[in-house]
Every structure is written in C-alpha cells, then in structure tokens.
Amino acid sequence: MTTNLQTPIDYLKGVGPNRADLLRKELGIHTYQDLINLFPNRYLDRTQYFKINGLQSNNAEVQVVGKVIKFEEIAQKRGKRLVATFQDETGTMELVWFRGQKWIRDNLKLQTPYVIFGKTNSYNGRFSMPHPEMELQEEHEASLRSAMQPIYPSTEKLNNKGITNRMVNKIMQQLFVETKGRFIETLSPEILESEKLISKSEALFNIHFPKNQELLARAQYRLKFEELFYIQLQLILKNLIHKSKIKGLPFDKVGEYFNSFYKEHLPFELTNAQKRVLKEIRQDLGSKAQMNRLLQGDVGSGKTIVAFMAMLIALDSGFQACLIAPTEILSVQHYNGLLEWCNKLNISIKILTGSSKTSSRREIHESLENGELQILIGTHAVLEDKVKFKNLGLAIIDEQHRFGVEQRSKLWRKGPQSSPQSTENEASQNIIPPHILVMTATPIPRTLAMSVYGDLDISVIDELPPGRQAIKTVHRYDNNRLNVFGFIRDEIEKGRQIYIVYPLIQENETMDYKDLMDGYESVSRDFPQPKYQISIVHGKMKAADKDYEMQRFIKGETQIMVATTVIEVGVNVPNASVMIIESAERFGLSQLHQLRGRVGRGAEQSYCILMTSRKLSINSKTRLATMTRTNDGFDIAEVDLKLRGPGDIMGKQQSGVLNLRIADLIKDGDILKTARYCAKQLLDSDPTLSRPNNNAILFTYQQMSKYKNIWNYIS
Ligand code: ADP
Ligand code: MG
C-alpha cells in the first residue's frame, strides 16, 4: 500500500496545525502531494566551508564552522538584540538575533563547534549574520546525506516563524519515512524506456536528497520532462477534442474569387512559404472542423496577402469575413490595400473603427446583417456586440499579441446560427464559430509558442519576398546627430523617405510629448520648407488628422515622418528607407524590431539608426547589440525571452502555462520539444489513453484535473 498523497499536511509528524497553516498560506502546500512537489530552487555544496577572513560579498549565503565565544545584549530603539561573537581560526564575526533570544541563550553551547549557515551582512568591513541556521558540527556531519543540500523556496514570514530551510528538509525526510519513499509511477513503461528516464520514486528521492550530481541531474530531467509532458498532453488533447467536437463551417465551393484573383490579379509571385501556409489554411477550411490557426511571420514576410486569399475562400462559399487590427492606422492601411484588390474582384468591403461616423456605422450594421457586405476591416470596434454578421465564416486578427484571449472568444460568438434542425449542440448556443486565423509579426520563441499556443495549429512564413536587402542597422550616440542628419539629406536626395520615431511611454507622457515636439522643431529647422516637407503623427491627434498626415507620407508629399510608436505595427510605405529611433535604449527588443520592419519594404537598401545617450544599462547594450547583429525576428525573440522572461513577454493572462514548478522555458527548450513529441506520439497511437500500459498516464492526467485547477487556464 502506498500512502495517500492527498492526506492533509497537518497529519505529517512534526508539522502540526500551526506549521500546516503557515505552509498552506505561504507556499500553497495543502497535502503530502504538494509537499513532495516543493522542489528545491538550487543546491548548496555542503562540503564547502568559508573561513571568516575569506568572506567577501555582502548578502552571500555561506556556511562557516566555528565556536560561539560570548554573548552580549545590546539595547536598541525597540527591545534589544542578542549578539554572539563567533570565531574560527581565521577571525571573528557576529551572529545576531532580534527574536527568540531566550531560547538561543538557553540552548546554544559556548565553545563548541557549530556549522552555521545564512546570509552575511558586512558593516565597516566586519561581517555579521542575522538569524543563522545552526547545527552542532558533530550532528551536521552525522546527518550529511549528500554533498548537495537542497535550498527550498521560502518566504520571509516562514523564516521568521521558524520554518527554516532545515525544518523543511526535516519534514521532507519525515514524508519519505511515512511513504517509505514509494511513489506511484506517472509515466508509461514505453516512455520511461525510450527516454531513458529514472522512475518516479528515484527521481523524487534524488531531487530532495541527491545522492550525487549525476542522479540529481537525472532526477531533474525526469521531473522537468514530466511537467512539460502533461502540459503538452493537455494542449494537444484540447486541440483534438476541439477538432472532433466543434463543427466548422464547410468551405467546399470551387472558388471563383480565389481562382480569378490567383490567375488574373496576383500582384507578385507568392513565396514558397506563402504557398505552403495557404495550403495549410485551405486544408483547415475544407475540413469539417473549425480552424484555429496562428500564422507567424516576421515583419514584411507578406502575411496580408495570405490573409486576403483566405478571406476569398470564405467568400467563395458564400460567407463573410473580417479582419481586425490593433490600431486605426493599421486598419486604414489594410482597408486601402485590400480595397484595390476587392474592386478588381467586385467584392464589397468596408472599414469600421472607433471614429466611424454614426451614419456610416448604421449602414455597415445593416449591410452586415443582410449579407450585402462581404468583408469588414476594423479595430476593436468590430468586436462590439452591436456588430452582427449574417454569416461570418472567417475572422482574422492581425498582430495578435496586441489583443487578448477574450477578443478571440468574442469573435467566436459572432458566427452564424446553426440551422434549427441541427441537433448537435456542442458549440455554445447553436452558434457555429467562424474559422479563426490569428497573425503575429512578433515572433514568439518556439518554446513559448508551443506552451502558450500549444492548442492552436501553427503556420510559419519563414521566408521573405525575393529581392529584399537586409536592413543595415547601426547604433549612434546623440552627439553624432549632425552626421546622421547629413545622411538623411543624402537619402532624401535619392528620393527616399525617412521615419524618425520618438518613445511615448504612458507614465512619462508629458515629458515624452515635449521630446517629440522639440525633436520635430529641430528637424524642421534642419530640413526647412519648402525644400523639405515633414509629417508628424502621434497618439493625441484626431484620427482624421493622423490619417491625413499618413496619406501625405504614403503619397510621397512629405519626405520625413516624425512619429511616436503609433506607426510601430504594420505600416507599409515601401519607399521609406531610413528608420531613425530616438532614445532607442528605452524601447524593448520586439518594439525595436517592429519599428525597423517599417523600412526595407522596397527594393532599395534600407537603414535603421538607433540613437541613444551615452548612459546605457547592460540590458540596453544587449538589446542594441542584438539589433545591430541580426535581422532575424526569431533570433531576436530568443534574446528577448532571456532578457525579460516568459511572463513578461506573454503578459499576465497566460501566466498559468508559464507557472512551472521545475522546468524552465528558457533553458529547457529541448526537453519541451521531446515532451511534446512524446505526447503527440502517445495520442497518435492511443487517443483515448485506454491501453493498459497507459493507465498511469490516464490516471495522473485525471488526478491533475481533479485536484488542481491548473488546467483551468486553458478554457
Ligand atoms: P507583414 O507580414 O509584415 O504583414 P505585408 O503583408 O505588409 O507584411 O507585406 C510586406 C510587403 O511585401 C508588402 O508591400 C507586400 O505587398 C509585399 N509582398 C508580400 N508578398 C510578396 C511576394 N511574394 N513578393 C513580393 N512582394 C511581396
Ligand atoms: Mg502586417
């Protein structure tokens, strides 16, 4: 019999109600199972002792052997502190207690060797250690199970209440005593064998009480694998269930619009990557299941035309389509671009944004509901409840990272009613969700994409249209501005256009705004009218004014566009060849990459100039160096992930997937790939997990969904 791991932690010998309470509140440990899954953050080499005269940095965790030679009480503002002089053969340091002083005085033995462990403080070159963990050297050595002492996650409160690392270690030992260290295996024999994993019991033992480095490494590998495996299993299962349950709209017509566009109006030859992705989308749309696909492609890789051709497939089957973009500028641009193609094909298309007039809104609502309007482009305004489609078949979200999960689900509900005689009611309230394509130009590191979008199908455009030259990127300091302006003049002379972008970051808005206006004035002085014309676009302008200025730049009436990051995403002016980013050190990597993507869209050599002050943090330097080193969005995304961590990149909403116990999406990408592969293989061969050998997996999977709400985030 194995111990029931769902036993409340209170029942573990040595825990008791008070400690149980603290463990629950501070670490979320309710049961034996939770405790066993409290994995150490790191391991301390217990064979390494510091000498007192060798202590160096403040706040370092060290282990020292020595004796207490005297105690002293020192009065302070409130109460008193107890200070012990601790000595080894090289010198002395102080141990300090602010609480529990009586117990220390009564129990600590003077002139007896202790091993102390804790964080050092240094003051005037003298080291002290507040509230050290202490153990008689004799006992310490007797209990030394391994050279690697686990250091568990903790909180200040736990420490203050005496639940020290050593205490956690002790109750962990007790847990292993009570359970005899036997734990149910959670993976199948095949996977253990093929991945050469150690058993669950062996892994758990060695993660808490490592026998040696090698076994520790194998324990970590096994547990990381398992953690990632179950997440992937869940995501892939969700995708499978989705495909079998959620009925998709059948796009089965031959395709008049699509074919005539493809044969007669295609403005350029599609790249192989574009063709491949279109094929993937076509397959989805032709299947009986609802499409949920993420299209990733670096800036300028040509996602728009793929989106448009997908819409044509929907139209061919008599459905409507919509495309939503995060900013007004971008929607307008999409609208203008697609309008041209739509006119050729005789397709009705309209745009709806926050600044659409009431009369045109009414017209749009009407024509959407009666089905006259075939394509709607717009911003968040499209998501409003008032906007109803007659039969929305395909919804596309551009620059998905600017939207949340809720927006995706809002689109779901805009699908058509399934016919009354249809009895399948899996889809909510008889609504058949439109096919959904989300596009992003902010490449997501593969490991993140697999974890966060693991339930979506992913297509990647990994090829730029031919003839593009790599953008040359340089970093210049502010005092080089004269040279930079000289360069701009030359480029304008050649007929090119220039962007100059300023940061505009909320909390600093007034100052940033002033920077922008000062910059505009100084540029206007150096590039005087009438020879030079300058546009300015920023967030405080009215939509109509923004649009007017944008249009002037697009038409080539102005040579310089001074702007804030409103132009960050999607804007497409192929004749613009220079992107100057002011205060570049203040931008994040993905923003810099997006901004740079505004140039290099034509056949000409393009440039990106990152202007900064001389004061740069290490992270800023890394970002600038990355930008000058590479144009590859995926490469940049990997660096970004390392600099910022997964939570920051994906935002709070997805943090559930990223709250990992032991695996690390940055470092464990390879394990993740293996885990996903294994999960896929498993479900391919046994979709319902009903084979006896997969019992353990089915059982674990069900237990997880039963006792933990960790799966809720995927809903
Ligand atoms: P993004 O993927 O960043 O949205 P766009 O769809 O805006 O990129 O395309 C960038 C530019 O490349 C546009 O000017 C577009 O017309 C052009 N383009 C797209 N595909 C091709 C192609 N296969 N050959 C040549 N030019 C292309
Ligand atoms: Mg785009």
Side-chain angles (χ1 to χ4, degrees):
M1 244 324 265
T2 41
T3 316
N4 180 2
L5 290 181
Q6 299 310 325
T7 309
I9 196 68
D10 310 57
Y11 294 96
L12 189 65
K13 200 173 139 211
V15 174
N18 289 340
R19 283 182 183 149
D21 223 40
L22 279 165
L23 288 172
R24 268 192 293 271
K25 287 199 183 111
E26 296 295 305
L27 295 175
I29 294 175
H30 297 257
T31 60
Y32 283 24
Q33 172 104 49
D34 296 335
L35 182 63
I36 201 86
N37 284 331
L38 179 73
F39 298 134
N41 288 331
R42 61 204 164 81
Y43 298 81
L44 195 80
D45 186 348
R46 293 228 310 192
T47 55
Q48 207 195 350
Y49 296 106
F50 278 82
K51 297 292 178 209
I52 290 175
N53 72 353
L55 295 177
Q56 283 187 350
S57 57
N58 219 353
N59 214 23
E61 269 178 337
V62 295
Q63 190 169 246
V64 185
V65 189
K67 300 169 180 173
V68 174
I69 51 175
K70 67 172 200 248
F71 281 116
E72 196 182 348
E73 276 176 357
I74 298 177
Q76 52 183 42
K77 240 192 224 152
R78 241 175 279 144
K80 54 188 194 282
R81 65 178 186 271
L82 178 66
V83 177
T85 306
F86 188 74
Q87 184 182 47
D88 72 0
E89 67 277 13
T90 69
T92 61
M93 65 188 289
E94 289 179 345
L95 311 181
V96 187
W97 290 268
F98 301 95
R99 299 171 304 275
Q101 299 169 2
K102 181 171 182 323
W103 191 89
I104 296 288
R105 292 212 74 153
D106 291 351
N107 289 280
L108 266 196
K109 297 177 184 149
L110 287 173
Q111 303 292 352
T112 315
Y114 275 96
V115 176
I116 64 164
F117 169 75
K119 278 189 181 167
T120 53
N121 283 329
S122 104
Y123 185 71
N124 280 343
R126 199 168 152 70
F127 281 93
S128 67
M129 186 183 288
H131 290 256
E133 289 189 18
M134 301 186 70
E135 197 173 16
L136 285 167
Q137 189 179 15
E138 225 175 51
E139 285 176 15
H140 181 83
E141 268 151 28
S143 77
L144 200 70
R145 287 159 156 276
S146 117
M148 287 153 288
Q149 166 163 9
I151 305 293
Y152 287 97
S154 185
T155 66
E156 198 171 326
K157 191 150 178 205
L158 280 179
N159 260 322
N160 289 346
K161 299 272 181 180
I163 304 197
T164 57
N165 194 58
R166 199 144 58 88
M167 171 65 68
V168 175
N169 202 243
K170 254 188 175 153
I171 59 177
M172 197 67 82
Q173 285 185 36
Q174 182 58 32
L175 182 68
F176 274 77
V177 170
E178 286 189 24
T179 55
K180 302 194 183 65
R182 274 192 259 144
F183 302 98
I184 296 174
E185 182 50 60
T186 44
L187 293 170
S188 65
E190 286 85 357
I191 290 180
L192 289 177
E193 159 98 36
S194 75
E195 301 311 310
K196 305 201 169 36
L197 301 173
I198 59 177
S199 72
K200 178 84 170 196
S201 297
E202 211 182 346
L204 286 176
F205 183 83
N206 280 287
I207 204 80
H208 293 296
F209 311 101
K211 283 186 195 148
N212 56 46
Q213 283 289 355
E214 197 210 326
L215 274 168
L216 173 60
R218 297 195 67 187
Q220 286 171 323
Y221 187 92
R222 141 98 213 202
L223 295 169
K224 285 174 176 185
F225 177 92
E226 176 174 345
E227 181 169 44
L228 297 168
F229 174 82
Y230 279 101
I231 291 177
Q232 292 305 319
L233 190 69
Q234 168 73 20
L235 289 166
I236 298 168
L237 259 175
K238 190 190 168 211
N239 183 304
L240 287 178
I241 292 170
H242 179 106
K243 282 191 175 140
S244 68
K245 279 220 178 130
I246 311 286
K247 222 172 83 180
L249 298 162
F251 289 1
D252 42 17
K253 290 273 156 53
V254 194
E256 249 324 286
Y257 286 127
F258 186 93
N259 287 338
S260 103
F261 183 74
Y262 194 80
K263 286 189 195 126
E264 293 154 39
H265 304 291
L266 209 57
F268 33 67
E269 168 108 23
L270 296 179
T271 63
N272 285 331
Q274 284 170 321
K275 285 184 198 160
R276 187 189 63 236
V277 166
L278 257 175
K279 209 167 172 187
E280 288 164 356
I281 294 172
R282 272 193 104 152
Q283 252 157 23
D284 281 5
L285 297 178
S287 82
K288 298 224 158 55
Q290 181 220 12
M291 171 170 82
N292 251 306
R293 189 169 278 280
L294 170 70
L295 172 53
Q296 281 206 73
D298 211 343
V299 281
S301 61
K303 293 183 292 295
T304 315
I305 195 158
V306 171
F308 180 69
M309 292 175 77
M311 291 199 252
L312 294 183
I313 300 174
L315 266 51
D316 275 332
S317 288
F319 289 96
Q320 296 167 302
C322 73
L323 166 63
I324 65 172
T327 65
E328 180 130 10
I329 289 183
L330 190 49
S331 321
V332 169
Q333 185 186 288
H334 274 318
Y335 174 72
N336 290 334
L338 302 191
L339 182 63
E340 206 181 303
W341 293 333
C342 284
N343 283 342
K344 289 182 181 151
L345 296 167
N346 232 340
I347 291 170
S348 58
I349 177 171
K350 286 236 158 68
I351 177 166
L352 178 70
T353 70
S355 54
S356 298
K357 298 237 165 51
T358 321
S359 57
S360 80
R361 248 170 223 268
R362 203 175 306 126
E363 217 175 284
I364 287 174
H365 289 177
E366 242 180 64
S367 57
L368 271 182
E369 287 186 52
N370 67 23
E372 272 165 34
L373 187 56
Q374 292 167 288
I375 295 181
L376 181 65
I377 309 292
T379 55
H380 290 82
V382 174
L383 299 170
E384 285 169 20
D385 289 336
K386 289 174 289 193
V387 181
K388 297 196 183 79
F389 292 80
K390 178 169 183 227
N391 56 358
L392 180 64
L394 171 66
I396 301 178
I397 306 180
D398 195 15
E399 307 298 346
Q400 133 85 16
H401 62 291
R402 296 295 198 88
F403 291 94
V405 176
E406 323 88 69
Q407 272 99 357
R408 237 203 288 165
S409 70
K410 271 194 177 159
L411 281 172
W412 272 56
R413 278 179 258 127
K414 293 204 179 288
Q417 300 278 328
S418 60
S419 52
Q421 59 265 42
S422 137
T423 50
E424 284 168 86
N425 61 347
E426 293 100 348
S428 53
Q429 297 112 40
N430 279 335
I431 285 175
I432 306 180
H435 295 288
I436 294 199
L437 179 68
V438 300
M439 309 199 290
T440 176
T442 303
I444 304 158
R446 280 165 231 279
T447 54
L448 264 191
M450 266 186 236
S451 313
V452 178
Y453 297 120
D455 60 327
L456 300 181
D457 296 302
I458 301 182
S459 291
V460 182
I461 304 187
D462 50 4
E463 180 187 357
L464 292 180
R468 293 274 170 81
Q469 297 185 45
I471 301 163
K472 286 192 179 142
T473 303
V474 294
H475 170 205
R476 293 283 180 268
Y477 292 108
D478 290 338
N479 52 3
N480 273 323
R481 193 171 303 276
L482 275 184
N483 285 339
V484 172
F485 277 8
F487 177 72
I488 298 182
R489 233 168 254 127
D490 293 347
E491 283 292 301
I492 294 178
E493 216 53 54
K494 290 190 221 156
R496 308 285 125 69
Q497 288 168 286
I498 319 291
Y499 291 104
I500 305 180
V501 175
Y502 287 82
L504 193 81
I505 294 158
Q506 230 81 57
E507 68 241 36
N508 224 336
E509 202 183 318
T510 336
M511 248 182 67
D512 285 339
Y513 189 67
K514 186 173 176 303
D515 284 352
L516 171 77
M517 292 327 260
D518 287 353
Y520 175 67
E521 266 168 36
S522 113
V523 174
S524 306
R525 248 179 282 124
D526 277 273
F527 296 89
Q529 290 191 350
K531 180 156 188 219
Y532 299 100
Q533 300 293 328
I534 305 175
S535 283
I536 179 164
V537 171
H538 57 78
K540 288 190 173 173
M541 290 164 66
K542 288 212 189 79
D545 298 339
K546 266 193 262 184
D547 188 38
Y548 175 76
E549 287 293 324
M550 257 340 275
Q551 289 306 326
R552 289 213 305 154
F553 189 66
I554 291 169
K555 286 184 205 140
E557 295 168 12
T558 59
Q559 297 97 353
I560 301 177
M561 160 68 74
V562 175
T564 59
T565 48
V566 290
I567 62 146
E568 177 192 341
V569 287
V571 171
N572 187 24
V573 181
N575 190 48
S577 67
V578 183
M579 166 62 66
I580 295 174
I581 304 176
E582 296 284 348
S583 304
E585 70 270 32
R586 290 178 55 197
F587 290 89
L589 258 182
S590 68
Q591 246 186 338
L592 289 173
H593 181 60
Q594 279 288 334
L595 284 169
R596 176 168 61 184
R598 296 314 106 217
V599 297
R601 303 188 146 241
E604 312 302 335
Q605 176 63 54
S606 289
Y607 304 88
C608 175
I609 304 175
L610 307 168
M611 305 291 299
T612 73
S613 68
R614 292 217 171 245
K615 259 200 241 149
L616 295 174
S617 70
I618 293 178
N619 273 1
S620 302
K621 281 184 190 156
T622 308
R623 290 197 295 269
L624 295 163
T626 306
M627 287 295 293
T628 51
R629 173 176 65 79
T630 178
N631 274 305
D632 177 352
F634 281 99
D635 187 350
I636 289 170
E638 297 287 343
V639 177
D640 202 25
L641 177 63
K642 285 185 189 125
L643 288 181
R644 290 199 294 152
D648 235 31
I649 291 187
M650 301 315 302
K652 283 279 173 292
Q653 44 173 339
Q654 269 117 357
S655 60
V657 195
L658 307 169
N659 252 340
L660 300 173
R661 247 184 239 292
I662 185 164
D664 176 333
L665 289 181
I666 299 175
K667 296 188 190 126
D668 301 323
D670 288 341
I671 308 180
L672 173 62
K673 274 179 225 152
T674 313
R676 185 170 174 92
Y677 176 80
C678 288
K680 260 207 171 108
Q681 291 264 305
L682 173 70
L683 290 172
D684 278 351
S685 64
D686 185 12
T688 51
L689 300 178
S690 47
R691 286 215 318 255
N693 268 357
N694 294 328
N695 268 349
I697 293 177
L698 181 64
F699 179 74
T700 309
Y701 184 77
Q702 286 167 341
Q703 290 280 305
M704 279 178 162
S705 8
K706 190 160 144 205
Y707 288 109
K708 281 268 177 227
N709 290 329
I710 56 168
W711 304 118
N712 282 357
Y713 59 82
I714 317 176
S715 59

